[in-house]
């Protein structure tokens, strides 16, 4: 199924374990770019396959379906049907800097295999955020390291593992969430670091990863550059494009997060006006989906071109030997890496 001639700049969540008739009608009418799933949508593999098929049936094409499957605390698919993982920062500390990137490559090869088996072909990873001493606990152990070099190497390995597994990576949180000391789910974090310091560290990580097909904005104020959250600030989006050089499809972080002001439609309109290509709405409440549907417009030509480029990066997965991949990964965790 080829994509329709028109797409709206939305990535929608749904409410439950199956697509309701009302949701199917709304999705078919709005034609969102894609969908995102959460724990509330997941019971077991067969149910999840039916759900992903139902979402695509509603829009009549192979729309990308995303999830936040980082492993660790952000783990929408877990035991007993899927594996469990250490938080990335803890994993990196365990395996050491020489093997951290390899461990992440193996980890995300396995995660990609899990996702594709149930019809999911987009993952909101890697994180390009650098962990700092004051990083809020909601993010800190989800980061890949405390240095620019470590984060970039591991993030590249994550992206490579996902892409080889037929899953689109979403780089987050551009231009950097690591200095935030507040939880953007609840309030708007403000970062006071100088522009020079940000460009040499946090922003530099995303510049090194600027070729990835999709990215996610940060609901953060960088006081040296702006007085507004990056997601809704045209100047910050221009900086992401022009200085960091990110050329992929840029989606917002979840519009439901309380870091942003205004109603849900107002938040969506502000983000799109600032230059984001798509807005992400994760909560899936039908009344709020309907409110967003009221403001639905077609993606502009520039955003549609970025969407097409991202979709072109989605490919058939490489075949992996799960047992061998898992064995190598677990050996790294035990400090039994074989070099050379």
């Amino acid at each position: 199924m080829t994509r329709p001639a028109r797409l709206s700049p939305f990535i929608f969540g749904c409410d439950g374990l199956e697509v309701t008739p009302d949701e199917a009608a709304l999705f078919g009418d709005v034609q969102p770019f894609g969908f995102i799933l959460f724990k509330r949508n997941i019971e077991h593999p067969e149910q999840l396959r039916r759900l992903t098929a139902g979402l695509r049936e509603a829009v009549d094409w192979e729309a990308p379906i995303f999830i936040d499957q980082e492993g660790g605390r952000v783990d929408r698919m877990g035991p007993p049907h899927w594996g469990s993982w250490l938080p990335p920062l803890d994993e990196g500390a365990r395996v050491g800097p020489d093997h951290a990137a390899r461990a992440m490559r193996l980890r995300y090869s396995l995660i990609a295999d899990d996702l594709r088996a149930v019809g999911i072909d987009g993952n909101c990873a890697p994180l390009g955020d650098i962990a700092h001493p004051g990083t809020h606990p909601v993010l800190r152990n989800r980061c890949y390291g405390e240095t620019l070099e470590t984060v970039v190497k591991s993030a590249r390995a994550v992206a490579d593992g996902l892409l080889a597994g037929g899953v689109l990576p979403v780089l987050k949180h551009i231009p950097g969430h690591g200095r935030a000391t507040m939880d953007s789910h609840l309030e708007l974090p403000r970062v006071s670091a100088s522009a020079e310091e940000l460009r040499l560290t946090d922003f530099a990580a995303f510049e090194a990863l600027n070729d990835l097909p999709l990215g996610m904005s940060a609901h953060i104020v960088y006081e040296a550059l702006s007085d507004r959250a990056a997601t809704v600030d045209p100047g910050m989006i221009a900086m992401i494009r022009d200085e960091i050089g990110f050329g992929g499809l840029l989606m917002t972080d979840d519009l439901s997060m309380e870091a942003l002001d205004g109603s849900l439609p107002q938040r969506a309109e502000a983000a799109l006006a600032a230059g984001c290509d798509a807005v992400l709405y994760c909560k899936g409440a039908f009344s709020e989906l309907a409110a967003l549907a009221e403001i639905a417009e077609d993606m502009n030509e520039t955003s549609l071109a970025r969407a097409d480029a991202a979709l072109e990066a989605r490919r058939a997965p490489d075949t992996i030997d799960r047992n061998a991949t898992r064995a190598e990964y677990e050996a790294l965790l035990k400090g039994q890496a074989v070099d050379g």
Side-chain angles (χ1 to χ4, degrees):
M1 291 183 283
T2 58
R3 75 155 178 85
R6 51 170 287 269
L7 292 175
S8 65
F10 294 118
I11 298 167
F12 279 154
C14 60
D15 185 56
L17 299 174
E18 59 184 19
V19 182
T20 69
D22 285 344
E23 287 173 338
L26 185 147
F27 296 153
D29 182 55
V30 173
Q31 285 293 328
F33 168 68
F35 301 98
I36 188 162
L37 301 180
F38 275 71
K39 276 186 180 291
R40 67 177 182 273
N41 306 121
I42 297 168
E43 188 173 57
H44 55 75
E46 183 54 38
Q47 169 271 322
L48 193 45
R49 282 189 284 270
R50 289 196 301 268
L51 175 59
T52 55
L55 290 168
R56 292 187 170 115
E57 183 179 353
V59 293
D60 197 30
W61 74 288
E62 289 292 318
I65 299 177
F66 299 93
I67 196 168
D68 287 290
Q69 188 69 2
E70 297 175 10
R73 286 188 302 106
V74 178
D75 209 6
R76 314 304 187 200
M77 295 161 53
H81 301 293
W82 300 280
S84 60
W85 309 91
L86 286 172
L89 194 65
D90 299 344
E91 177 179 298
R94 177 176 293 191
V95 304
D98 292 341
H99 303 294
R102 179 60 182 169
M104 292 298 272
R105 177 65 163 78
L106 295 167
R107 168 188 177 125
Y108 278 85
S109 294
L110 292 164
I111 287 174
D113 193 54
D114 288 339
L115 298 182
R116 282 298 297 246
V118 291
I120 298 169
D121 56 8
N123 194 8
C124 297
L127 277 69
D129 307 309
I130 299 172
H132 295 277
T135 301
H136 192 280
V138 77
L139 180 73
R140 181 172 164 78
N141 70 357
R142 296 162 56 195
C143 299
Y144 303 157
E146 297 177 319
T147 68
L148 173 63
E149 180 181 12
T150 299
V151 168
V152 169
K153 284 183 177 179
S154 287
R156 179 62 68 182
V158 168
D160 288 346
L162 290 172
L163 285 165
V167 174
L168 292 171
V170 180
L171 175 64
K172 62 187 187 186
H173 306 83
I174 308 175
H177 208 300
R179 293 182 187 270
T181 58
M182 294 180 286
D183 181 358
S184 57
H185 294 86
L186 305 175
E187 54 191 329
L188 177 60
R190 306 183 72 89
V191 168
S192 60
S194 70
E196 180 181 10
E197 187 175 14
L198 289 167
R199 288 183 172 112
L200 289 173
T201 54
D202 301 69
F203 295 178
F206 292 93
E207 185 175 359
L209 300 161
N210 66 12
D211 59 311
L212 294 184
L214 301 107
M216 180 185 293
S217 68
H219 298 336
I220 307 280
V221 173
Y222 304 89
E223 294 178 332
L225 299 169
S226 174
D227 60 358
R228 302 178 67 192
T231 296
V232 294
D233 186 277
M236 290 301 298
I237 301 300
M239 188 276 294
I240 289 169
R241 294 300 189 191
D242 299 336
E243 292 188 33
I244 290 177
F246 181 73
L249 182 137
L250 183 65
M251 67 180 73
T252 69
D253 205 342
D254 183 14
L255 291 183
S256 304
M257 295 163 66
E258 295 307 315
L260 300 180
D261 293 328
S263 68
L264 203 60
Q266 287 170 337
R267 295 174 186 185
E269 289 173 333
L272 294 170
C276 292
D277 297 305
V279 294
L280 179 66
Y281 170 64
C282 299
K283 190 176 177 181
F286 188 77
S287 62
E288 294 183 338
L289 287 169
L292 289 170
E294 288 291 322
I295 65 163
E297 295 183 355
D298 293 351
M299 269 187 171
N300 63 48
E301 289 185 8
T302 300
S303 294
L304 196 58
R306 292 178 183 136
D308 283 337
L311 293 170
E312 287 173 7
R314 184 175 57 172
R315 62 179 179 82
D318 294 343
T319 301
I320 66 166
D321 183 330
R322 281 193 67 95
N323 291 334
T325 303
R326 187 80 198 192
E328 183 184 352
Y329 174 73
E330 290 178 354
L332 287 172
L333 292 183
K334 295 174 182 176
Q336 298 171 351
V338 177
D339 294 312

